[in-house]
Amino acid sequence: MTETSRIGLIGLGTMGANLALNIAEAGHRIAVFNRTAEKTRAFHAGAGDLAPRIVPTETLEAFTAALEVPRTILLMVPAGSAVDDQIAALAPYLSPGDILIDGGNSDWQDSRDRAAALAAKGLLFLGLGVSGGAEGARHGPSLMAGGAREAWQGAEPVLASIAARFDGVPCAALFGEGGAGHYVKTVHNGIEYADMQMIAEVYGLMRDGQGRDAAGIAEVFAHWNKGPLESYLVEIAAEVAATADPGTGRPLLDVIADRAGQKGTGRWTVIDAQRRAAPLPAVEAAVTARVLSGEAALRAEGQKLFAGEGRLGPLEDDALASALLAGKVLAYSQGFTLLERARQEEGWSMPLDDVARTWRAGCIIRWRMLDDMAGALAQAKPGKPLAFAPAFAELLSEHVPALRKVVSTATLAGLPVPALSAALQHFDQLRQARGTANMIQGLRDRFGRHGFERLDRPGESGFHGPWADGED
Ligand code: NAP
């Protein structure tokens, strides 16, 4: 009898092909299938030493027959209808107890619904957030799973064996039922938006405010990557800034158009945060900045119309580094607060320190600070922002003055720093015991008799000001 495969993978695109090689390299026999059979043949032909562990198949019948039962099948096709179509095509060949894993960037609500629909048929489902891009897929991604524990137990041996490791611990975990894994991946991407936007803002201050060239900026990022800012994104910021365009010899950054793409996960995060009334201003600013990056003609017209705002005052590199550090901590803190809100509302078993641990290696937002964040979150009281944990409160007390200086200096010079300033504004609101919403309540009561609470009558509500009837 032919040897069966431990796992099957469908979709040999960038991510699927690299994950399949990673799985084979980890010692598992894997069957593969791709909609376009030619790609399957080319993939197998190019798999080198790993080819003997890879079983290429050209029909779903042959693919499912090649798998150990219960079957474990990883889908790496585009999010949306492709996932539903592929599941529907597979269904006739599956048996109760088989495990389907969707490793694409699916909407967490789709994963929740798919898990429920498949459970009704006796099939197990995992929605798996995969981060780390092509390189991570090949050599160790960060894996964020959601679904039934039984599904996780069936798939974990393979998933943990291919995941990135931090201090020997695999960056792969189950975060709750249904859509929990894709939810964590979505928030990861939201934080990624804020992190990249803050890096771009600091780059902009050096370029436009200080007149530094890309090579000089690359050196600054490379230097920062040796300290508390050491992270994948700062590391590759240095690499991108240091790279020359092969065609023109000019710095690559100087020939790249200032229009950033987006596939939607940042926006999903912000919409979900608004639905849950969880403040996420740094990510909101980053998503808005990407939208505005697409309005090149409008920005050019605006520059002509409102030119000459001022010059950037002196800013030391250390102040820029401190501002970036404080901004990043505040953005991550906002992301964890959103996760905590979702954890409570959805009933997910999602310890936030486990999330931070899973992000320590393999994923795009990996940052040495995430290990400290895991430690702080393990001790934190539920509902308290990460920014209030003693170690991070101390860090912020030390670095927020620089963030304040950078944001105000940039603002006076008319240079935009939307994510850094959104993080700072949120921080300042969090440290204002007596806020200004009393004025809002006064206005609401004046025009609509909405009522307010009084400081001198705690526990009671529905007070009104001494005005005549309100207006709509
Ligand atoms: P990709 O390179 O475009 O490959 C897509 C694969 O899906 C191809 O093998 C394609 O087959 C197959 N496919 C497309 N439509 C299909 C359909 N309707 N039915 C069946 N198969 C279909 O995509 P990718 O970058 O590998 O991404 C795969 C998933 O991973 C996406 O959800 C993506 O968002 C997610 N992801 C990507 C990254 C990244 O850095 N690229 C990182 C994390 C997660 P054909 O060869 O027949 O076209």
Side-chain angles (χ1 to χ4, degrees), residues 10-17 33-37 39 75-83 85-86 102-106 129-134 185 189 263 364:
I10 295 182
L12 291 168
T14 311
M15 293 299 284
F33 173 87
N34 192 69
R35 181 179 60 176
T36 314
K39 209 186 253 180
L75 303 177
M76 289 309 301
V77 300
S81 58
V83 176
D85 294 348
Q86 196 58 70
D102 170 19
N105 266 344
S106 294
V130 178
S131 179
K185 172 73 199 303
N189 285 21
K263 286 188 182 161
I364 302 296

Side-chain angles (χ1 to χ4, degrees), residues 277-308:
L280 204 65
V283 183
E284 283 171 19
V287 172
T288 305
R290 285 214 199 174
V291 173
L292 275 175
S293 79
E295 307 255 14
L298 191 68
R299 288 186 285 113
E301 195 182 329
Q303 182 168 334
K304 272 196 212 132
L305 200 56
F306 304 110

Side-chain angles (χ1 to χ4, degrees), residues 200-287:
E201 289 171 13
V202 172
Y203 155 74
L205 295 181
M206 290 192 269
R207 183 191 69 181
D208 302 331
Q210 302 177 328
R212 292 159 95 159
D213 63 13
I217 294 170
E219 279 172 27
V220 175
F221 280 122
H223 175 65
W224 289 351
N225 198 43
K226 295 185 182 116
L229 283 169
E230 184 190 333
S231 58
Y232 176 64
L233 285 170
V234 170
E235 178 194 330
I236 63 171
E239 185 188 328
V240 169
T243 301
D245 174 37
T248 62
R250 296 176 57 200
L252 186 65
L253 271 180
D254 294 354
V255 300
I256 300 180
D258 57 331
R259 254 193 318 276
Q262 53 177 325
K263 286 188 182 161
T265 43
R267 189 177 291 143
W268 290 355
T269 315
V270 166
I271 291 170
D272 189 78
Q274 288 287 355
R275 270 203 206 111
R276 296 186 198 277
L280 204 65
V283 183
E284 283 171 19
V287 172

Side-chain angles (χ1 to χ4, degrees), residues 13-268:
T14 311
M15 293 299 284
N18 281 297
L19 280 170
L21 294 174
N22 187 353
I23 291 169
E25 196 164 66
H28 308 287
R29 195 172 165 82
I30 176 171
V32 294
F33 173 87
N34 192 69
R35 181 179 60 176
T36 314
E38 227 165 77
K39 209 186 253 180
T40 311
R41 282 177 231 133
F43 170 73
H44 191 241
D49 292 351
L50 298 172
R53 261 185 235 141
I54 297 171
V55 181
T57 63
E58 298 194 6
T59 63
L60 288 176
E61 190 176 6
F63 172 76
T64 45
L67 300 176
E68 274 174 26
V69 179
R71 301 173 186 86
T72 304
I73 298 173
L74 175 56
L75 303 177
M76 289 309 301
V77 300
S81 58
V83 176
D84 291 317
D85 294 348
Q86 196 58 70
I87 292 176
L90 269 172
Y93 306 103
L94 300 179
S95 330
D98 286 352
I99 304 167
L100 280 177
I101 308 169
D102 170 19
N105 266 344
S106 294
D107 184 326
W108 72 274
Q109 295 169 101
D110 288 346
S111 297
R112 176 195 59 199
D113 297 347
R114 284 176 189 135
L118 289 168
K121 295 178 182 161
L123 296 169
L124 296 165
F125 178 80
L126 280 184
L128 185 72
V130 178
S131 179
E135 199 181 310
R138 178 66 185 86
H139 299 291
S142 169
L143 300 175
M144 299 148 249
R149 184 152 291 280
E150 206 185 333
W152 174 246
Q153 282 163 347
E156 188 193 5
V158 175
L159 297 181
S161 73
I162 63 159
R165 283 171 184 267
F166 185 93
D167 282 350
V169 180
C171 292
L174 177 72
F175 292 117
E177 299 278 322
H182 277 130
Y183 191 84
V184 173
K185 172 73 199 303
T186 304
V187 176
H188 164 286
N189 285 21
I191 294 173
E192 181 186 305
Y193 269 58
D195 198 334
M196 288 199 283
Q197 176 63 27
M198 288 177 180
I199 288 172
E201 289 171 13
V202 172
Y203 155 74
L205 295 181
M206 290 192 269
R207 183 191 69 181
D208 302 331
Q210 302 177 328
R212 292 159 95 159
D213 63 13
I217 294 170
E219 279 172 27
V220 175
F221 280 122
H223 175 65
W224 289 351
N225 198 43
K226 295 185 182 116
L229 283 169
E230 184 190 333
S231 58
Y232 176 64
L233 285 170
V234 170
E235 178 194 330
I236 63 171
E239 185 188 328
V240 169
T243 301
D245 174 37
T248 62
R250 296 176 57 200
L252 186 65
L253 271 180
D254 294 354
V255 300
I256 300 180
D258 57 331
R259 254 193 318 276
Q262 53 177 325
K263 286 188 182 161
T265 43
R267 189 177 291 143
W268 290 355

Side-chain angles (χ1 to χ4, degrees), residues 307-449:
E309 267 302 319
R311 292 176 62 82
L312 189 76
L315 278 178
E316 303 295 325
D317 285 355
D318 283 353
L320 290 171
S322 277
L324 184 56
L325 182 61
K328 276 168 63 114
V329 165
L330 290 167
Y332 282 60
S333 176
Q334 290 167 16
F336 281 113
T337 298
L338 172 60
L339 283 173
E340 172 60 17
R341 188 73 58 87
R343 187 186 72 78
Q344 287 173 13
E345 290 180 5
E346 306 299 329
W348 289 327
S349 55
M350 183 199 282
L352 296 191
D353 50 316
D354 278 358
V355 175
R357 262 182 224 108
T358 304
W359 289 347
R360 289 180 303 180
C363 67
I364 302 296
I365 64 168
R366 61 188 184 261
W367 173 21
R368 82 181 214 191
M369 201 61 77
L370 277 159
D371 193 36
D372 298 333
M373 289 183 177
L377 288 162
Q379 316 263 318
K381 293 200 180 72
K384 285 274 163 38
L386 171 69
F388 284 16
F392 286 93
E394 202 177 305
L395 182 148
L396 288 169
S397 300
E398 185 185 339
H399 295 281
V400 162
L403 176 61
R404 201 176 295 294
K405 182 175 179 197
V406 167
V407 168
S408 53
T409 307
T411 306
L412 284 172
L415 291 172
V417 283
L420 288 171
S421 73
L424 178 62
Q425 291 296 326
H426 179 235
F427 175 76
D428 279 340
Q429 288 175 74
L430 276 181
R431 51 184 280 287
Q432 189 179 38
R434 172 74 170 146
T436 55
N438 49 325
M439 173 54 104
I440 292 173
Q441 286 301 80
L443 294 170
R444 291 180 71 236
D445 191 59
R446 169 63 187 82
F447 69 68
R449 293 190 70 74

